[in-house]
Structure formats: structure tokens, C-alpha cells
Amino acid sequence: MAQRFVEKGINFIGIDCVDNPDLPSSRFQQCDVRDPAVAEIMAEHKVTAIIHLAFCTQPKTPPKLQNDIDLNGSHN
């Protein structure tokens, strides 16, 4: 989705807990979606909409942690 936004010139900021070298640094912030600092990033970039696509890519991630990321990430 982020690559499509870049291609179409859509203004956005991507947030992820792991680095994303495929995105320009002006379009990416490394941060856990559960971290309260997300609010500061949103304010700094004047975010008006959110698309929450956070999920665990590690197959052995404990279900409790997966739920924490999904639910508390959404709550945050």
C-alpha cells in the first residue's frame, strides 16, 4: 500500500516497529504501533486518517503478543 501511495503522490507517513528501507525516510517512522509516541508522529504530520495494517510476520509470535499488537495498537 505504501508503495502505491508513493507512486500516486499520496501524502502519508508509514509507521512500523522494523525499518523499511523501501520507503523514503520522509515517509517512514520506526515506532511500535502500541507506543504513545505514535500520537506525536500523527500530530507532527497532521494525520487525518489511519489505516491500521499492523500484524506479526514472525510465525512463532505468541498469540498473546499478536493480540496485544492488534488490539492495543488499535486502541493507541
Side-chain angles (χ1 to χ4, degrees), residues 1-72:
M1 181 173 284
Q3 288 299 346
R4 181 172 282 175
F5 283 3
V6 169
E7 292 165 7
K8 298 218 178 253
I10 296 170
N11 188 18
F12 76 97
I13 185 73
I15 298 172
D16 201 339
C17 62
V18 295
D19 190 23
N20 189 332
D22 296 331
L23 287 179
S25 60
S26 63
R27 296 279 173 230
F28 178 77
Q29 291 278 321
Q30 189 169 352
C31 184
D32 188 311
V33 68
R34 299 167 293 170
D35 188 329
V38 169
E40 296 168 21
I41 295 168
M42 291 172 57
E44 177 184 340
H45 293 275
K46 298 179 178 145
V47 172
T48 59
I50 299 170
I51 302 171
H52 177 359
L53 300 174
F55 66 99
C56 299
T57 57
Q58 300 298 322
K60 294 185 179 182
T61 303
K64 187 174 181 177
L65 178 57
Q66 290 178 16
N67 288 337
D68 186 55
I69 292 168
D70 186 26
L71 299 174
N72 289 322

